[in-house]
Amino acid sequence: MKNRIIKTIATKPGKILIAFSLLFITAFLMTGLLDFEQDIFKVLPLQNRTFKVLVHALKTSSGQNRLYLLVKSSKDPDMLITSAEKFSNDLRGIVIDGQSAFAQVTFKKIDAVSLKDTEELLIQFLNKPELFLTREDLPRLEEILLSKDTVETEIKKSLAYYAIPGAEHISQIAAIDPLNMRQFMVEKMASLHGGLVFDQGPYLISPDRQSLLIIATPEEELESRFHAVKLLKKIDDIRETYPDLKIGITGGYAVAAQEESLIRGDLLGCLIGSVLGISLLFFLAYRNTIVLIFVFLPLGVGLQLALGTMALMFDKIHMLAAAFATVILGLGIDFAIHVYDRYSSERQSGLDKTAAIEKSIFKTGSAVLAGGLTTLSAFLVLSFAHSPILFQIGWLVALGLLFCLMAILWVLPAWLVWIEKYSRQWLIRPANKLYMDRIGHFVNAHPKKVLAFSLTFFALSLPGILQLDFEKDPLALRPKGLEAVDVQEDLLSSFVAKGEYVFISWQAEDAKELWEKGHSVDKEIKGLHESGIVSSWTSLSKFSSYDPLHIQGIDMELIGRIFKKYGLSLKDFKHLYRFLTALSGKMPLEQDSAAVENNFCRELQKLPEIFKRFYICENEILQGVVWSHVPGPDEAMKVQKHFAKTFPDHIVVSPRLAINELATEARKEMWTTITIAGLLVIGILVFFLRSIRSVLLVSLPMVMGLLATAGLMGWMGIRLNLFNFIVLPMLIGIGLDDGIHVLKRYQEIGNIKETLQSTGRSVFLTTLTTICGFGSLSLANYHVLKSMGLLAIFGVFACFVFTVTTLAPLLKLHEDG
């Protein structure tokens, strides 16, 4: 089999290259299946109830389909309102692709919920009053509905709206609800503001009257990412015409568009930086453009095959995971460098093609295979992680390295043989020694001094591990430099009362249990509110009821006669008529309680977005969510401890508590992945090296490099976070490659000086290319990716340094002994 492979490559390289071309076309077509995910929330382990509740709260409160414009001015507040009115009119005039961009633009409290949403909400209320009323509301309802004078007064008020200029909004609502039953709904809506604080008056203006909030709702047809970019550009143009105002944009609509732009820019920038850096290093080392061009072809095929396979495995690939395509290039070219370096060296020394192929594939290639498998195994271990993005990163890089490894060992020797038919000058150009000849000479002459330096540096770095800490601030993981994120924080400081939100959540099998548990939670929070621990709270059960409500004594005929007195017919107001009939208990429900339970998820989905914050409905399982606002983190901990005692099956969630839990899980996952990766890699090394002593020797530089990197992070104050910690287990696989190649070549020739001069050069070059690939993440604007890139640079270079200053001297001392 071995001789057959060598003979095929040596005599039929053209057929191999034709087969490779077909594979290239297949890989290219497979990438057409790709669909990318931009949602930053998808990086969290949403199978965990805590994070599911937290992400649900963030999504339902951030106005995913809205723009929030924060207008600031140090001038007279009346001037601020006048300018805001003019700016709002400019926004209303924006046209995208021939249609008005916004369905609504307002900075008035009464319009904070659009007319359409208000009508839908009111109709829901009138058709199903128990969703928006509680038993505590019944006495007030009785005062209105059981009093002839009060009913008549409300009708007069509604008719008066039609005579007021500019009251079109209210008159349309009054046409649906002439008895002003909406006052109960409005009170419930006011409670949804939670920690938001506004100045008195009709406008969404801050208590200090220096900031004003404009809410703009884009048309549904313009909610795509493509239209978002166009719309934000037009708003930027308008903002420039208001130099006296400081106008910021935020909201889910703006955050999503800016985050996507940031991540796409980072992805493209890192990829270009990686390709350029790797190409420059390869050219400087080998001065061979034709080989350089071809080397990227099998790497590209491996990358495309990996992405295509991922498209078959996952519905969408997160763009943060796709950023690791640069890692595949940086690590994959290592395989090509070792194979090419060995083939060209052997041909320059006088060996024929067959012998050079045999040594490059079955000598150096065995070390390449061992190193490649250890590296991809370390990444594959990430598939055990609970985080979906780590799961994708693990599979993407592992598959990419596997396909690159197969393509390099199969195609590169055939390409070298093929181009040698036409011009051998591509192979006889001397390679740059990269100073490894001098380093090899020094290590060979002074192994003890080099070893002493290595151990001293290692010892000095170790205490830094004690200084290593995990990032616990959730805001530290947010993208920096994004206007939408900065404005969001500014908005919170202007309009939100001091403190933080705490969410209490529980699971329920049906609607009845959801309400029953909700009432129990309300009672507990009420006690905490009275003791000053909870500032305010709101919940579905606080302003709605599960069972239908009834009022005895509603005289439908009397109310009908009052309507007729003013030329109206009660039955013409069908929603109000249903409301009164349902409360009087004279109209049967359209569906029994069992049907309501079975269809409760579907029923709730019909409600406006603002109510979806109070429940999570998946697979017919309901999960209730109560929103509470507390003065600070100490009170949040008290709420958590209280419910841990009273309702241990409930969970208490806040951003701060969630990040602490996530940090704890991440630390556990870090040690788990390091352990699994270590055991898997050791198994692969034992299989390839067949010697425990050899396994220990090649592992030594990796272990020292890993610990030294952690120590340097501690000394430099670089914190581990939910993303960059994955670099440490990755270094287990990456850091072993250097030791494997140096040991295998030393065992082959038995001379450490020549080993470092030949294989040491390719090891140094692969270290630099890996830094260009993995380390290119340090070019990212997103600081989380940047920290991963910096950590990778430290780790990869440390493993190389300890290979040269620890493993090589030990081999020399063994050679002399």
Side-chain angles (χ1 to χ4, degrees), residues 676-817:
I676 296 175
L679 293 174
L680 188 60
V681 164
I682 288 174
I684 294 174
L685 290 178
V686 169
F687 177 80
F688 275 93
L689 299 178
R690 310 284 180 170
S691 166
I692 298 299
R693 176 179 174 276
S694 297
V695 171
L696 293 176
L697 283 173
V698 299
S699 300
L700 184 60
M702 178 271 296
V703 173
M704 295 177 71
L706 192 66
L707 294 175
T709 299
L712 288 174
M713 286 181 63
W715 285 124
M716 298 175 65
I718 300 176
R719 292 186 174 186
L720 289 172
N721 58 48
L722 303 177
F723 297 98
N724 66 18
F725 85 91
I726 66 172
V727 175
L728 295 179
M730 290 177 186
L731 288 176
I732 293 177
I734 297 173
L736 283 169
D737 287 3
D738 299 346
I740 291 173
H741 285 286
V742 169
L743 180 64
K744 290 288 285 184
R745 190 61 186 271
Y746 175 78
Q747 290 175 340
E748 186 178 340
I749 62 178
N751 186 298
I752 195 62
K753 180 180 178 180
E754 293 182 12
T755 297
L756 291 179
Q757 288 176 345
S758 55
T759 299
R761 177 188 62 213
S762 59
V763 166
F764 184 36
L765 183 59
T766 57
T767 297
L768 296 178
T769 56
T770 300
I771 288 175
C772 285
F774 209 153
S776 67
L777 295 176
S778 62
L779 300 175
N781 291 309
Y782 185 26
H783 64 285
V784 171
L785 287 177
K786 183 186 291 287
S787 69
M788 295 178 72
L790 293 174
L791 182 54
I793 290 173
F794 292 155
V796 171
F797 193 72
C799 290
F800 167 76
V801 169
F802 286 113
T803 298
V804 174
T805 62
T806 303
L807 176 59
L810 288 176
L811 293 176
K812 173 59 180 176
L813 292 174
H814 178 266
E815 177 185 331
D816 294 340

Side-chain angles (χ1 to χ4, degrees), residues 368-621:
V368 168
L369 183 61
L373 291 178
T374 57
T375 301
L376 70 88
S377 296
F379 278 93
L380 193 59
V381 167
L382 294 178
S383 62
F384 293 98
H386 293 102
S387 171
I389 191 170
L390 297 185
F391 185 81
Q392 288 192 357
I393 288 173
W395 274 107
L396 175 62
V397 179
L399 288 171
L401 292 180
L402 177 62
F403 291 136
C404 285
L405 183 63
M406 295 169 60
I408 290 294
L409 292 177
W410 172 46
V411 178
L412 183 57
W415 172 254
L416 296 175
V417 171
W418 188 82
I419 63 171
E420 197 175 356
K421 287 183 177 180
Y422 299 95
S423 176
R424 196 182 173 192
Q425 63 173 330
W426 299 113
L427 299 176
I428 61 176
R429 293 180 178 179
N432 192 320
K433 296 180 180 179
L434 302 177
Y435 297 100
M436 289 307 298
D437 53 338
R438 299 182 184 182
I439 294 175
H441 177 77
F442 187 82
V443 172
N444 187 67
H446 309 284
K448 292 182 179 180
K449 290 182 180 180
V450 174
L451 187 60
F453 165 80
S454 172
L455 296 176
T456 301
F457 176 78
F458 178 69
L460 291 174
S461 66
L462 283 181
I465 296 177
L466 301 177
Q467 308 295 324
L468 194 60
D469 195 13
F470 209 94
E471 181 61 70
K472 296 179 181 179
D473 183 5
L475 297 179
L477 299 179
R478 303 182 71 174
K480 297 178 180 178
L482 288 185
E483 180 195 12
V485 174
D486 294 338
V487 173
Q488 192 173 64
E489 295 177 8
D490 195 7
L491 187 151
L492 293 175
S493 65
S494 299
F495 293 97
V496 177
K498 300 295 183 182
E500 60 183 85
Y501 282 106
V502 174
F503 312 100
I504 298 93
S505 180
W506 65 95
Q507 288 186 340
E509 295 183 357
D510 53 44
K512 184 176 182 179
E513 185 178 3
L514 180 73
W515 253 272
E516 288 176 349
K517 288 187 174 182
H519 283 301
S520 299
V521 171
D522 285 338
K523 291 179 182 178
E524 295 298 325
I525 298 182
K526 184 178 180 181
L528 296 174
H529 175 65
E530 292 172 350
S531 62
I533 296 175
V534 173
S535 305
S536 62
W537 88 97
T538 183
S539 66
L540 195 60
S541 54
K542 190 179 179 182
F543 61 77
S544 63
S545 303
Y546 171 71
D547 296 315
L549 300 174
H550 300 297
I551 295 177
Q552 298 296 326
I554 295 179
D555 191 336
M556 298 291 290
E557 292 184 3
L558 174 62
I559 295 175
R561 287 196 299 271
I562 297 173
F563 269 75
K564 189 174 182 181
K565 177 181 177 180
Y566 292 93
L568 304 172
S569 172
L570 175 60
K571 291 187 177 181
D572 287 343
F573 300 91
K574 59 180 181 179
H575 301 298
L576 178 62
Y577 185 83
R578 176 181 173 83
F579 178 86
L580 296 173
T581 307
L583 282 178
S584 66
K586 296 179 181 178
M587 186 178 70
L589 295 175
E590 293 182 358
Q591 50 188 353
D592 57 27
S593 59
V596 172
E597 290 178 8
N598 292 335
N599 296 319
F600 189 73
C601 285
R602 192 182 312 162
E603 189 70 22
L604 283 178
Q605 289 297 325
K606 299 176 182 178
L607 295 175
E609 289 289 329
I610 198 168
F611 287 91
K612 294 182 180 180
R613 64 179 64 186
F614 297 113
Y615 66 90
I616 303 173
C617 224
E618 292 182 356
N619 302 321
E620 298 302 323
I621 300 297

Side-chain angles (χ1 to χ4, degrees), residues 88 132 166 222 241 546 778:
S88 297
F132 305 93
L222 302 179
T241 64
Y546 171 71
S778 62

Side-chain angles (χ1 to χ4, degrees), residues 1-10 338-339 342-344 346-347 351-368 409 413-414 416-417 748:
M1 183 67 178
K2 173 181 175 181
N3 292 333
R4 219 171 139 187
I5 292 174
I6 296 173
K7 183 179 179 181
T8 301
I9 294 174
H338 287 295
V339 172
R342 187 63 185 271
Y343 182 87
S344 61
E346 297 299 343
R347 289 293 284 144
L351 288 183
D352 59 20
K353 295 178 184 177
T354 302
I357 292 172
E358 190 271 335
K359 287 187 176 294
S360 61
I361 294 181
F362 292 98
K363 293 290 184 180
T364 298
S366 64
V368 168
L409 292 177
L416 296 175
V417 171
E748 186 178 340

Side-chain angles (χ1 to χ4, degrees), residues 13-173:
K15 291 186 177 180
I16 294 177
L17 295 177
I18 291 173
F20 172 73
S21 299
L22 296 176
L23 182 63
F24 181 85
I25 295 172
T26 302
F28 182 78
L29 294 175
M30 287 181 67
T31 55
L33 303 173
L34 286 174
D35 191 10
F36 291 102
E37 174 66 67
Q38 294 96 20
D39 189 351
I40 198 68
F41 294 122
K42 294 294 180 69
V43 305
L44 294 174
L46 295 183
Q47 72 276 12
N48 182 300
R49 284 180 63 195
T50 296
F51 303 115
K52 182 182 292 185
V53 172
L54 180 61
V55 169
H56 175 78
L58 291 171
K59 283 190 170 183
T60 55
S61 65
S62 60
Q64 294 297 303
N65 61 339
R66 285 181 169 184
L67 281 174
Y68 295 91
L69 296 106
L70 184 63
V71 183
K72 287 194 164 193
S73 174
S74 58
K75 296 183 178 181
D76 180 35
D78 292 335
M79 292 295 295
L80 176 62
I81 294 171
T82 302
S83 299
E85 180 66 52
K86 185 173 182 293
F87 180 69
S88 297
N89 289 332
D90 290 340
L91 293 178
R92 296 185 186 103
I94 294 178
V95 175
I96 302 289
D97 294 342
Q99 72 173 98
S100 178
F102 291 108
Q104 184 189 42
V105 178
T106 185
F107 56 93
K108 296 179 181 179
K109 294 177 182 177
I110 192 172
D111 298 326
V113 179
S114 68
L115 176 61
K116 179 182 177 182
D117 288 344
T118 302
E119 289 181 354
E120 290 179 355
L121 186 59
L122 181 57
I123 290 172
Q124 288 280 348
F125 173 44
L126 297 177
N127 282 279
K128 199 173 182 62
E130 62 270 18
L131 281 179
F132 305 93
L133 292 174
T134 65
R135 295 193 179 279
E136 287 75 17
D137 297 315
L138 294 183
R140 284 178 56 206
L141 270 171
E142 290 175 353
E143 291 178 3
I144 298 172
L145 299 178
L146 301 184
S147 170
K148 175 184 175 181
D149 293 338
T150 306
V151 170
E152 191 166 355
T153 299
E154 294 298 339
I155 293 176
K156 289 179 179 179
K157 287 181 182 178
S158 296
L159 291 173
Y161 288 134
Y162 289 94
I164 301 175
E168 293 82 2
H169 184 116
I170 300 177
S171 59
Q172 290 183 53
I173 297 299

Side-chain angles (χ1 to χ4, degrees), residues 163-188:
I164 301 175
E168 293 82 2
H169 184 116
I170 300 177
S171 59
Q172 290 183 53
I173 297 299
I176 301 173
D177 173 33
L179 290 185
N180 193 23
M181 294 295 96
R182 61 189 175 278
Q183 61 182 288
F184 297 93
M185 181 190 76
V186 171
E187 291 172 0
K188 304 300 189 303

